[in-house]
Amino acid sequence: MKPWIPVLGCVLLLVSRFAFAIDSEPPFTNPVLEHRYEHLLQEIRCLQCMDENIANSDAPLAADFRRQIHAMVGEGESDAQIKRYMVQRYGDFVLYKPPLQANTWLLWGGPFLLLLLAFTAVALVIRRRSRLADQEQSSR
Amino acid sequence: MRRRLVFILPVLVLIALIGFFWRGLYLNPTLVTSPLIGKPVPDFSLPRLHDPKATFDQNRLKGRVSLVNVWATWCFACREEQQMLLNLAKQNVVPIYGLDYKDDRQSALRWLAERGNPYTAIAFDSTGNVAINWGVYGAPETFLIDQHGIIRYKYIGPITTEVIQRELLPRIHALRREGT
Amino acid sequence: MIPELGQLALVIALCLAVAQCFFGIVGAQRGHFIWMNAVRPAAVGQALFVSLAFVILTYSFLTNDFSVRYVAENSNTALPWPYKITAVWGAHEGSLLLWIFVLGLWTLAVARFSRRLPQEFASRVLGVLGLISIGFLLFMLTTSDPFTRLLPPAAQGRDLNPLLQDPGMAIHPPMLYMGYVGMSVAFAFAVAALLGGRMDAVWARWSRPWTLVAWLFLTIGITFGSWWSYYVLGWGGFWFWDPVENASFMPWLVGTALVHSLAVTEKRGAFKSWTALLAIAAFSLSLLGTFLVRSGILISVHAFATDPRRGIFILAMLGAFVGLALILYAWRAPMFSDNGGGFKAFSRETFLLLNNIFLVVAAAAVLLGTLYPLVLGALKLGQISVGPPYFDHIFVPLMIPFFILIGIGPYVRWKHGSVPHTGRKLGWVAALALLVGAVVIVLLRAETSFIAMAGVLLAAWTVFSALQEPAQRLWQRLHHRHAGLGRSVLGMSVAHVGAGLMILGVTVTTMLGITVDRVFTPGSSLTVHGDQYTFEGVRDVSGPNYQAVQGTFVVTRNGRPVTVIYPQKRQFRRDGTTTEAAIDAGPFRDLYIALGNPLGHGAWSVRIEYKPLVRFIWLGGLIMVLGGFIALMDKRYRRVRVKAIALDVAATPEEAGRDLTREPEH
């Protein structure tokens, strides 16, 4: 009911929640790696403070995740490998972008399925109405 | 008649949603089920808390049913839990191993000296790297490991008498029966 | 004694709400005039007693009455007095009282401005509003009484949550609630029409201004909230797709669809049952939002403290209100559909239908994404997270066609459009949009992704096409040809310009913005997008109820000074720290600095952001509001003649529509 008003939950447990990820690791010199690293941080959920990605979270666990991911990116592992690593340990819950699999087909396909259904309904309505329009015209 | 059905659809959607909400009110969304349940304990090797030169690894967790409790001195809920663990340790039903998570060695040793030590042995994970392999996302957490070193159950949050009676002991006994 | 009076006021309000509901609905059903005459006084009385309770709680805050538990938990003697007022809605109980108070204000407005409506209809509307009041007052009195005493009284209060100690708190929640709760009026109109068995162009005409006002407030609330979170949360984001934000976005999307479909129903008498369903849905989604935030069913940073009884109570209320409305709808709506007259495939009606479809599917997608983890959990099918990446992926493909259609729709005639006519009007607009889009893309030359290009093009298209009509009319007027531009057409054009600017802001900020997290030691500097940031260290400052460290950053560009920025980190007496990001705002870019954590030896972690066109997001929102406001000023809303009611549904909707839109002024 009240967007943007964090009232309880982890807000009060952690001294400082709205700080973000700065770690002792030096930034990547390779901009491609840096970009990949930052993008990955956006897609991993911090499980300690539940509604944040690890890029924005100040929780110690988020720092550990970042360190781990930083190391893996540095070792040349792909995004898919890194995500798999996280999922094997924490489950799909750790990904903010749900993977496409049996239990998420409806999630990813739902909106487009609905759009398709709606288009069909619109087409039917238009067909009926346009016949009606023709009749009105001919009866005039 | 077919037209009528279309008008009833919103009511059906509402009923389905309310059903899900009703169920949802009794679920805790912050408890994350571990994908490691049913899988062998991840390989690890850590120094022991009391003796930094000695190591603690996954082999220690094979051969008998055991509990692995993740704790730390900075963890507030661990304080209350420790009493429960001490009581459980006294009953001698199951060895309790500790994983001291992102802690300071001196404060951990002091804490155990002051409050008592329920653990058979304690692994010291100063960086939290091993904890990530275990899928730990906070403290306290407690894993139940079977004779073959397979994780069978995980309890998230502080253990209480009720948890011991309802969740842990029945499972421990069942695993024992399974093993013999 | 005073707090007990507040409680008593709520109990009296509840009794009056029961009278308002009973006399309103039953009185109208039986045609009992004496009962119906009692509805308006009951409604006014109900609203006044709720207001009295609200005033009393405010008084308790202002007088530091820490014998009231809610005051003790959310205030403090050191809290500056304006925040003592906003603290009234700083937590669950008080914000619920604000909800009911706002409902009271809407009830008063309806009671005041419904005299021209047929008595039966007006008393049904007030009766339905009364039912909603009953539900919320009962909820408040049984589970969330803000006047509960604390024994013994606390010597000092805990203080208001630091994040809420911001001027934004005075505007955002009240505006948002005005919008949310305002949807209840559209809901009440729809339910009253269903109860009365009459749903026609006249009904649409009555509901339209009310819906528009609620939509305006909701738009202000969301826009303002987005801006507030941008500067107060310290992440530099403007929208987080948090479940609670989604809870306000869904009624907005459906409300926007409703505003458009009411236009069709009013002008052409078509899509009546669809419009009624949207009116029910918009308020249902408001209620759903209340449930999601106050039940703890979803993980959100915004959630209130939860008590399972509250969740069950709101769920029951949601089921009862929405369930009754939808059952009534399933029963009555089939009776009066389908006299809307015909239209061809290429017509305004089609475009508005498509508009509705994209908006409703977008709302459904938000609903799906928000609830999907819950549904999987309830069915034990796994645990997943649905976050911003999901919503971004779903929204882009939905919004691209939607914004193409926004440009075309207004230039298609009702009933039977002509492609060449529309083409003539929009051909040069399309060319201009392409040209400007191309120039911008060349100028930016940055890593322009497909989405960035599409966004800029769409924004240009939306803005130019929206300006085409007013520009043409202005041209004609300058050449002494008589050409008036109706307020509602002008309002629509302005609102569409706002939507275009918002798209531009969102696209450019997201695609071309730069975020850098770095460690700064005093004297060190960093160049981001040509601006050099030099950190001059931190110093301590203190506020009325907090201590803060303030960093100093000198920004220069090519050696010339640009600005000095002072971000703060505040430690409040109540256990909390806030990051006060400091922003150098400009019309075309913001420089945004937030302090992270001290890292020892004077070093600090710092987030620096360069945010191009970020202001356009909120500017766009405000322009949309302006558009809605202009449309509201349209002549025909100022006076709804009682005679109009005499128009029978049986009259062809086309005639009804024409008659209504060309009604002479008094």
Side-chain angles (χ1 to χ4, degrees), chain A residues 1-8 15 17-18 20-22 45 50-52 56 58 93 95-98 103 107 111 114 122 126 129-130 134 136, chain C residues 89 99 161 163-164 172 176 180 229 233 239 242 245 290 293 299 301-302 305 341-344 357 372 381 385 387 390 415 577 579 597 605 607:
Chain A
M1 199 70 191
K2 276 193 157 184
W4 310 286
I5 304 180
V7 174
L8 265 167
V15 180
R17 177 167 166 279
F18 300 108
F20 29 77
I22 303 276
R45 183 173 198 158
M50 285 264 188
D51 201 39
E52 283 179 304
N56 287 329
D58 196 31
F93 188 81
L95 300 179
Y96 257 137
K97 183 179 167 189
N103 66 356
L107 175 67
L114 205 61
V122 168
I126 289 176
R129 297 285 183 148
S130 96
D134 291 339
E136 281 168 14
Chain C
W89 53 85
W99 212 104
N161 184 332
L163 283 162
L164 307 181
H172 169 59
L176 197 67
Y180 263 148
S229 71
L233 291 192
W239 190 257
D242 176 273
E245 292 175 356
T290 311
V293 184
I299 307 170
V301 294
H302 305 292
F343 56 83
K344 302 298 285 182
I357 276 173
Y372 205 81
L381 287 175
S385 300
Y390 169 80
K415 206 170 172 185
T577 311
T579 300
N597 291 323
S605 66
R607 169 169 288 185

Coordinates of all heavy atoms in Angstrom, one line a residue, chain A residues 1-8 15 17-18 20-22 45 50-52 56 58 93 95-98 103 107 111 114 122 126 129-130 134 136, chain C residues 89 99 161 163-164 172 176 180 229 233 239 242 245 290 293 299 301-302 305 341-344 357 372 381 385 387 390 415 577 579 597 605 607:
Chain A
M1 N 0.8 -1.2 0.0 CA 0.0 0.0 0.0 C 0.8 1.3 0.0 O 0.4 2.3 -0.4 CB -0.8 0.0 1.3 CG -2.0 0.9 1.2 SD -3.2 0.2 0.1 CE -4.3 1.5 0.0
K2 N 2.1 1.1 0.4 CA 2.9 2.3 0.6 C 4.2 2.1 -0.1 O 5.2 1.7 0.5 CB 3.2 2.5 2.1 CG 2.1 3.2 2.8 CD 2.7 3.6 4.1 CE 2.0 4.7 4.6 NZ 2.6 5.2 5.8
P3 N 4.2 2.3 -1.4 CA 5.5 2.1 -2.0 C 6.6 3.0 -1.4 O 6.3 4.0 -0.9 CB 5.2 2.5 -3.4 CG 3.7 2.3 -3.6 CD 3.2 2.6 -2.3
W4 N 7.7 2.6 -1.6 CA 8.9 3.4 -1.3 C 9.0 3.7 0.2 O 9.6 4.7 0.6 CB 9.0 4.6 -2.1 CG 8.9 4.3 -3.5 CD1 9.8 3.6 -4.3 CD2 7.7 4.4 -4.4 NE1 9.3 3.4 -5.5 CE2 8.0 3.9 -5.6 CE3 6.5 4.9 -4.2 CZ2 7.1 3.9 -6.7 CZ3 5.6 4.9 -5.2 CH2 5.9 4.4 -6.4
I5 N 8.3 3.0 1.0 CA 8.4 3.3 2.4 C 8.8 2.0 3.1 O 8.0 1.3 3.6 CB 7.0 3.8 3.0 CG1 6.6 4.9 2.2 CG2 7.2 4.1 4.4 CD1 5.3 5.5 2.6
P6 N 10.1 1.7 3.1 CA 10.5 0.5 3.8 C 10.3 0.7 5.3 O 10.8 1.6 5.9 CB 12.0 0.4 3.5 CG 12.2 1.4 2.4 CD 11.1 2.5 2.6
V7 N 9.5 -0.1 5.9 CA 9.1 0.1 7.3 C 9.8 -0.9 8.2 O 10.4 -0.5 9.2 CB 7.6 0.2 7.5 CG1 7.3 0.3 9.0 CG2 7.0 1.3 6.8
L8 N 9.7 -2.2 7.9 CA 10.2 -3.1 8.8 C 11.1 -4.1 8.1 O 11.7 -3.9 7.1 CB 9.1 -3.8 9.6 CG 8.8 -3.1 10.9 CD1 7.5 -3.6 11.4 CD2 9.9 -3.4 11.9
V15 N 22.4 -2.3 10.4 CA 22.6 -0.9 10.7 C 22.4 0.0 9.5 O 21.7 1.0 9.5 CB 24.0 -0.7 11.3 CG1 24.2 0.7 11.7 CG2 24.2 -1.6 12.5
R17 N 21.4 -0.2 5.6 CA 20.9 -1.1 4.5 C 21.1 -0.5 3.2 O 21.5 -1.1 2.2 CB 19.4 -1.3 4.7 CG 18.9 -2.2 3.6 CD 17.5 -2.7 4.0 NE 16.9 -3.2 2.8 CZ 16.4 -2.4 1.9 NH1 16.3 -1.1 2.1 NH2 15.8 -2.9 0.9
F18 N 21.0 0.8 3.1 CA 21.0 1.5 1.8 C 22.4 1.9 1.4 O 22.6 3.0 0.9 CB 20.0 2.6 1.7 CG 18.6 2.1 2.0 CD1 18.0 2.4 3.2 CD2 18.0 1.3 1.1 CE1 16.7 1.8 3.4 CE2 16.8 0.8 1.3 CZ 16.1 1.0 2.5
F20 N 25.9 0.2 -0.6 CA 26.0 -0.7 -1.7 C 27.3 -1.3 -1.8 O 28.1 -1.2 -0.9 CB 25.7 0.1 -3.0 CG 26.1 1.5 -2.8 CD1 27.4 1.9 -2.9 CD2 25.2 2.5 -2.4 CE1 27.8 3.2 -2.6 CE2 25.6 3.8 -2.2 CZ 26.9 4.1 -2.3
A21 N 27.5 -2.0 -2.9 CA 28.7 -2.8 -3.0 C 30.0 -2.1 -3.2 O 30.2 -1.6 -4.3 CB 28.4 -3.7 -4.1
I22 N 30.8 -2.0 -2.2 CA 32.1 -1.6 -2.5 C 33.0 -2.6 -1.8 O 32.8 -2.9 -0.6 CB 32.5 -0.3 -1.9 CG1 31.5 0.8 -2.4 CG2 33.9 0.1 -2.2 CD1 31.9 1.4 -3.7
R45 N 20.0 -12.4 -6.3 CA 19.3 -11.9 -5.1 C 20.1 -12.1 -3.9 O 20.7 -13.2 -3.7 CB 18.0 -12.7 -5.0 CG 17.1 -12.2 -3.9 CD 15.7 -12.9 -4.0 NE 14.7 -12.2 -3.2 CZ 13.4 -12.2 -3.4 NH1 13.0 -13.0 -4.4 NH2 12.6 -11.6 -2.7
M50 N 16.1 -9.7 2.0 CA 15.5 -10.5 1.0 C 15.1 -9.7 -0.3 O 14.9 -10.3 -1.3 CB 14.3 -11.2 1.5 CG 14.8 -12.4 2.3 SD 14.8 -13.8 1.3 CE 15.1 -15.1 2.5
D51 N 15.0 -8.5 -0.2 CA 14.4 -7.9 -1.5 C 15.4 -7.0 -2.1 O 15.1 -5.9 -2.6 CB 13.1 -7.1 -1.2 CG 12.4 -7.0 -2.5 OD1 12.4 -8.0 -3.3 OD2 11.8 -5.9 -2.7
E52 N 16.7 -7.4 -2.3 CA 17.7 -6.6 -2.9 C 18.5 -7.5 -3.8 O 18.8 -8.7 -3.4 CB 18.6 -6.0 -1.9 CG 18.0 -4.8 -1.2 CD 19.0 -4.3 -0.1 OE1 19.4 -5.1 0.7 OE2 19.4 -3.2 -0.2
N56 N 23.2 -3.9 -4.8 CA 22.8 -2.8 -3.9 C 22.9 -3.2 -2.4 O 22.7 -2.3 -1.6 CB 21.4 -2.4 -4.2 CG 21.3 -1.7 -5.5 OD1 22.2 -1.0 -5.9 ND2 20.2 -1.8 -6.2
D58 N 24.0 -4.2 1.2 CA 25.1 -4.0 2.1 C 25.4 -5.2 3.1 O 26.2 -5.2 3.9 CB 24.8 -2.7 2.9 CG 26.1 -2.2 3.6 OD1 27.2 -2.4 3.0 OD2 26.0 -1.6 4.7
F93 N 15.8 -19.7 -6.4 CA 15.4 -18.5 -5.7 C 16.4 -17.4 -5.8 O 16.1 -16.2 -5.6 CB 15.2 -18.8 -4.2 CG 14.6 -17.8 -3.3 CD1 13.2 -17.5 -3.4 CD2 15.4 -17.0 -2.5 CE1 12.7 -16.5 -2.6 CE2 14.9 -16.0 -1.7 CZ 13.5 -15.8 -1.8
L95 N 18.1 -16.4 -8.3 CA 18.1 -15.6 -9.5 C 16.9 -14.7 -9.6 O 15.8 -15.1 -9.5 CB 18.1 -16.6 -10.7 CG 19.2 -17.6 -10.8 CD1 19.0 -18.5 -12.1 CD2 20.5 -16.9 -10.9
Y96 N 17.2 -13.4 -9.9 CA 16.1 -12.5 -10.1 C 15.4 -12.6 -11.4 O 14.3 -12.2 -11.6 CB 16.6 -11.0 -9.9 CG 16.2 -10.5 -8.6 CD1 17.1 -9.7 -7.8 CD2 14.9 -10.7 -8.0 CE1 16.8 -9.2 -6.6 CE2 14.6 -10.2 -6.8 CZ 15.5 -9.4 -6.1 OH 15.2 -8.9 -4.9
K97 N 16.2 -13.2 -12.4 CA 15.5 -13.5 -13.7 C 15.3 -15.0 -13.7 O 16.3 -15.8 -13.9 CB 16.5 -13.1 -14.8 CG 15.9 -13.2 -16.1 CD 16.9 -12.7 -17.2 CE 16.5 -13.2 -18.5 NZ 17.6 -12.9 -19.5
P98 N 14.1 -15.4 -13.5 CA 13.8 -16.9 -13.4 C 14.2 -17.6 -14.7 O 14.0 -17.1 -15.8 CB 12.3 -17.0 -13.2 CG 11.8 -15.6 -13.0 CD 12.9 -14.6 -13.5
N103 N 8.5 -25.2 -14.6 CA 7.7 -24.4 -13.7 C 7.6 -22.9 -14.0 O 7.0 -22.2 -13.2 CB 8.0 -24.8 -12.2 CG 9.4 -24.3 -11.8 OD1 10.1 -23.7 -12.7 ND2 9.7 -24.4 -10.6
L107 N 4.9 -18.4 -16.5 CA 5.4 -17.1 -16.1 C 5.9 -16.3 -17.4 O 5.5 -15.2 -17.6 CB 6.5 -17.2 -15.1 CG 7.2 -15.9 -14.7 CD1 6.2 -15.0 -13.9 CD2 8.4 -16.2 -13.8
P111 N 2.0 -13.7 -20.3 CA 1.6 -12.4 -20.8 C 1.3 -12.5 -22.3 O 0.4 -11.9 -22.8 CB 2.8 -11.5 -20.5 CG 3.4 -12.1 -19.3 CD 3.2 -13.6 -19.5
L114 N -1.8 -14.4 -23.1 CA -3.0 -13.6 -22.8 C -3.2 -12.6 -23.9 O -4.3 -12.3 -24.3 CB -2.7 -12.8 -21.5 CG -3.9 -12.4 -20.7 CD1 -4.7 -13.6 -20.3 CD2 -3.4 -11.6 -19.4
V122 N -10.7 -9.6 -29.6 CA -10.9 -8.3 -30.3 C -11.3 -8.5 -31.8 O -12.2 -7.9 -32.3 CB -9.6 -7.4 -30.3 CG1 -9.7 -6.3 -31.2 CG2 -9.4 -6.9 -28.9
I126 N -14.6 -7.2 -33.4 CA -14.6 -6.3 -34.6 C -15.4 -6.9 -35.7 O -16.1 -6.2 -36.4 CB -13.1 -6.0 -35.0 CG1 -12.4 -5.1 -34.0 CG2 -13.0 -5.3 -36.4 CD1 -11.0 -4.9 -34.2
R129 N -19.0 -6.3 -34.9 CA -19.4 -4.9 -35.0 C -19.3 -4.3 -36.4 O -20.1 -3.4 -36.7 CB -18.4 -4.1 -34.1 CG -18.5 -4.4 -32.6 CD -19.8 -3.9 -32.0 NE -19.8 -4.2 -30.6 CZ -20.3 -3.5 -29.7 NH1 -20.9 -2.3 -30.0 NH2 -20.3 -3.8 -28.4
S130 N -18.4 -4.8 -37.2 CA -18.3 -4.2 -38.5 C -19.4 -4.7 -39.4 O -19.9 -4.0 -40.2 CB -16.9 -4.5 -39.1 OG -16.9 -5.6 -39.9
D134 N -22.2 -2.3 -41.2 CA -22.7 -2.5 -42.6 C -24.2 -2.5 -42.6 O -24.8 -1.8 -43.5 CB -22.1 -3.8 -43.2 CG -20.6 -3.7 -43.4 OD1 -20.1 -2.6 -43.5 OD2 -20.0 -4.8 -43.5
E136 N -26.2 -1.1 -40.4 CA -26.7 0.2 -40.1 C -26.7 1.1 -41.4 O -27.6 1.8 -41.7 CB -25.9 0.9 -39.1 CG -26.2 0.4 -37.7 CD -25.2 0.8 -36.7 OE1 -24.3 1.7 -37.0 OE2 -25.2 0.3 -35.6
Chain C
W89 N 0.8 8.8 9.7 CA 0.7 7.6 8.8 C 2.0 6.9 8.6 O 2.3 6.3 7.5 CB 0.0 8.1 7.5 CG 0.7 9.3 6.8 CD1 1.7 9.2 5.9 CD2 0.2 10.6 6.8 NE1 2.0 10.5 5.5 CE2 1.1 11.4 6.0 CE3 -0.8 11.3 7.5 CZ2 1.0 12.7 5.9 CZ3 -0.9 12.7 7.3 CH2 0.0 13.4 6.5
W99 N -6.2 5.9 5.3 CA -7.0 5.3 4.2 C -8.4 5.6 4.5 O -9.1 6.0 3.6 CB -6.7 3.8 4.3 CG -6.8 3.0 3.1 CD1 -5.7 2.5 2.4 CD2 -7.9 2.5 2.4 NE1 -6.1 1.8 1.3 CE2 -7.4 1.8 1.3 CE3 -9.3 2.7 2.5 CZ2 -8.3 1.2 0.3 CZ3 -10.1 2.1 1.6 CH2 -9.7 1.4 0.5
N161 N 10.5 6.1 11.9 CA 11.5 5.5 11.0 C 12.2 6.6 10.3 O 11.6 7.4 9.6 CB 10.7 4.6 10.1 CG 11.6 3.8 9.2 OD1 12.7 4.2 8.9 ND2 11.2 2.6 8.8
L163 N 13.8 6.7 7.6 CA 13.6 6.9 6.1 C 12.4 7.7 5.8 O 12.2 8.3 4.7 CB 13.4 5.5 5.5 CG 14.7 4.8 5.3 CD1 14.5 3.3 5.1 CD2 15.5 5.4 4.1
L164 N 11.5 7.8 6.8 CA 10.2 8.5 6.6 C 10.3 10.0 7.0 O 9.4 10.7 6.8 CB 9.1 7.8 7.3 CG 8.9 6.3 7.0 CD1 7.7 5.8 7.7 CD2 8.8 6.1 5.5
H172 N 3.6 12.0 -0.7 CA 3.5 10.8 -1.4 C 2.3 9.9 -0.8 O 1.4 9.6 -1.6 CB 4.8 10.0 -1.4 CG 4.7 8.6 -1.8 ND1 4.2 8.3 -3.1 CD2 5.0 7.4 -1.2 CE1 4.2 6.9 -3.2 NE2 4.7 6.4 -2.1
L176 N -1.1 9.1 -3.0 CA -1.3 7.8 -3.4 C -2.6 7.2 -2.9 O -3.4 6.6 -3.6 CB -0.1 6.9 -2.9 CG 0.0 5.6 -3.6 CD1 0.5 5.8 -5.0 CD2 1.1 4.8 -2.8
Y180 N -5.7 5.6 -4.9 CA -6.2 4.2 -4.6 C -7.6 4.2 -4.2 O -8.4 3.5 -4.7 CB -5.4 3.7 -3.3 CG -4.2 2.9 -3.5 CD1 -3.2 2.9 -2.6 CD2 -4.2 2.0 -4.6 CE1 -2.1 2.1 -2.8 CE2 -3.1 1.2 -4.7 CZ -2.0 1.2 -3.8 OH -0.9 0.4 -3.9
S229 N 11.9 8.0 -3.9 CA 12.8 6.8 -3.7 C 14.1 7.1 -4.4 O 15.2 6.6 -3.9 CB 12.2 5.6 -4.3 OG 12.1 5.6 -5.7
L233 N 16.5 6.7 -1.2 CA 17.0 5.3 -0.9 C 18.4 5.2 -1.2 O 19.1 4.2 -0.8 CB 16.1 4.3 -1.7 CG 14.7 4.2 -1.3 CD1 14.1 2.9 -1.9 CD2 14.6 4.0 0.2
W239 N 12.7 3.1 -10.2 CA 11.6 2.1 -10.2 C 12.3 0.8 -9.9 O 13.2 0.4 -10.6 CB 10.8 2.1 -11.5 CG 9.6 1.3 -11.4 CD1 9.4 0.0 -11.8 CD2 8.4 1.7 -10.7 NE1 8.1 -0.4 -11.5 CE2 7.5 0.6 -10.8 CE3 8.0 2.8 -10.0 CZ2 6.2 0.6 -10.3 CZ3 6.7 2.8 -9.5 CH2 5.8 1.8 -9.6
D242 N 9.4 -3.6 -7.1 CA 9.2 -4.3 -5.8 C 7.7 -4.6 -5.8 O 6.9 -3.9 -6.3 CB 9.6 -3.3 -4.7 CG 9.3 -3.8 -3.4 OD1 8.1 -3.6 -2.9 OD2 10.2 -4.3 -2.8
E245 N 5.5 -1.7 -5.0 CA 5.4 -0.7 -6.1 C 4.5 -1.3 -7.2 O 3.6 -0.6 -7.7 CB 6.8 -0.5 -6.7 CG 7.7 0.2 -5.8 CD 9.1 0.4 -6.5 OE1 9.3 -0.1 -7.6 OE2 9.9 1.0 -5.8
T290 N -3.5 -3.4 -0.8 CA -3.6 -3.3 0.6 C -3.3 -4.7 1.3 O -2.6 -4.8 2.2 CB -5.0 -2.9 1.0 OG1 -5.4 -1.8 0.2 CG2 -5.1 -2.6 2.5
V293 N 0.5 -5.7 1.0 CA 1.4 -5.0 1.8 C 1.2 -5.3 3.3 O 2.2 -5.3 4.1 CB 1.3 -3.5 1.6 CG1 2.3 -2.7 2.4 CG2 1.4 -3.1 0.2
I299 N 7.6 -11.1 0.0 CA 8.8 -10.4 0.5 C 8.9 -9.1 -0.1 O 9.0 -8.9 -1.3 CB 10.1 -11.2 0.2 CG1 9.9 -12.7 0.6 CG2 11.3 -10.6 0.8 CD1 11.0 -13.6 0.0
V301 N 10.6 -4.9 0.7 CA 11.3 -4.0 1.7 C 10.3 -3.1 2.3 O 10.5 -2.4 3.3 CB 12.4 -3.2 1.0 CG1 13.5 -4.1 0.6 CG2 11.9 -2.4 -0.1
H302 N 9.1 -3.0 1.6 CA 8.1 -2.0 2.1 C 7.1 -2.5 3.0 O 6.3 -1.8 3.5 CB 7.4 -1.4 0.9 CG 8.3 -0.9 -0.2 ND1 9.0 0.3 0.0 CD2 8.5 -1.3 -1.4 CE1 9.7 0.5 -1.1 NE2 9.4 -0.4 -2.0
A305 N 4.7 -4.3 9.4 CA 4.8 -5.4 10.4 C 3.6 -6.2 10.3 O 2.5 -5.7 10.0 CB 4.9 -4.8 11.8
G341 N -23.8 -0.4 -31.1 CA -23.7 0.1 -32.5 C -22.4 -0.5 -33.1 O -21.5 -1.0 -32.4
G342 N -22.4 -0.4 -34.4 CA -21.3 -1.0 -35.1 C -20.1 -0.1 -35.4 O -20.2 1.1 -35.3
F343 N -19.0 -0.7 -35.7 CA -17.8 0.1 -36.1 C -16.9 -0.7 -37.0 O -17.0 -2.0 -36.9 CB -17.0 0.7 -34.9 CG -16.5 -0.3 -33.9 CD1 -15.4 -1.0 -34.2 CD2 -17.3 -0.6 -32.8 CE1 -14.9 -1.9 -33.2 CE2 -16.8 -1.5 -31.9 CZ -15.6 -2.2 -32.1
K344 N -16.2 -0.1 -37.8 CA -15.4 -0.8 -38.8 C -14.0 -1.1 -38.1 O -13.7 -0.6 -37.0 CB -15.1 0.0 -40.0 CG -16.4 0.4 -40.8 CD -17.2 -0.8 -41.2 CE -16.5 -1.5 -42.5 NZ -17.3 -2.6 -42.9
I357 N -6.4 -3.4 -24.3 CA -5.8 -4.7 -24.2 C -4.3 -4.6 -23.8 O -3.9 -5.4 -22.9 CB -5.9 -5.4 -25.6 CG1 -7.3 -6.0 -25.6 CG2 -4.9 -6.4 -25.8 CD1 -7.7 -6.5 -26.9
Y372 N 3.5 -15.0 -9.0 CA 3.9 -16.3 -9.4 C 4.7 -17.1 -8.3 O 4.5 -18.2 -8.1 CB 4.8 -16.1 -10.7 CG 4.8 -17.4 -11.5 CD1 3.8 -17.7 -12.4 CD2 5.9 -18.3 -11.4 CE1 3.8 -18.8 -13.1 CE2 5.9 -19.4 -12.2 CZ 4.9 -19.7 -13.1 OH 4.9 -20.8 -13.8
L381 N 5.7 -26.3 -6.0 CA 6.3 -26.6 -7.3 C 7.7 -25.9 -7.4 O 8.3 -25.8 -8.5 CB 5.5 -26.1 -8.4 CG 4.2 -26.9 -8.7 CD1 3.4 -26.3 -9.7 CD2 4.6 -28.3 -9.1
S385 N 12.4 -16.5 -7.7 CA 12.3 -15.0 -7.5 C 12.0 -14.4 -8.9 O 12.5 -14.8 -9.9 CB 13.7 -14.5 -7.1 OG 14.1 -15.1 -5.9
G387 N 12.2 -10.8 -10.5 CA 12.7 -9.5 -10.2 C 12.7 -8.6 -11.4 O 12.1 -8.9 -12.4
Y390 N 12.9 -9.7 -15.1 CA 11.7 -10.3 -15.7 C 10.8 -9.2 -16.2 O 10.3 -9.3 -17.4 CB 10.9 -11.2 -14.7 CG 9.6 -11.6 -15.2 CD1 9.4 -12.7 -16.0 CD2 8.4 -10.9 -14.8 CE1 8.1 -13.0 -16.5 CE2 7.2 -11.2 -15.2 CZ 7.0 -12.3 -16.1 OH 5.7 -12.6 -16.5
K415 N -16.1 5.2 -35.4 CA -17.0 4.3 -36.2 C -16.4 3.9 -37.5 O -16.3 2.7 -37.8 CB -18.3 5.1 -36.5 CG -19.4 4.1 -36.7 CD -20.8 4.8 -36.8 CE -21.8 3.7 -37.2 NZ -23.1 4.2 -37.4
T577 N 20.1 4.2 10.0 CA 21.0 5.1 9.3 C 20.3 5.3 7.9 O 19.8 4.4 7.3 CB 22.4 4.4 9.0 OG1 22.8 3.9 10.2 CG2 23.4 5.4 8.5
T579 N 21.0 7.0 4.0 CA 22.0 7.6 3.1 C 21.3 8.7 2.3 O 20.3 8.5 1.6 CB 22.4 6.5 2.0 OG1 23.0 5.4 2.7 CG2 23.3 7.0 1.0
N597 N 30.1 3.2 2.9 CA 30.6 3.0 4.2 C 32.0 3.5 4.4 O 32.8 3.5 3.5 CB 30.6 1.5 4.5 CG 29.2 1.0 4.6 OD1 28.3 1.6 5.1 ND2 29.0 -0.2 4.0
S605 N 33.6 4.3 0.7 CA 33.0 3.8 -0.5 C 32.0 4.8 -1.0 O 31.2 5.3 -0.2 CB 32.4 2.4 -0.2 OG 31.3 2.5 0.6
R607 N 29.2 5.9 -4.3 CA 28.6 5.6 -5.6 C 28.4 6.9 -6.3 O 27.8 7.8 -5.8 CB 27.2 4.9 -5.4 CG 26.4 4.8 -6.7 CD 25.2 3.9 -6.6 NE 25.7 2.5 -6.6 CZ 24.9 1.4 -6.5 NH1 23.6 1.6 -6.5 NH2 25.4 0.2 -6.6

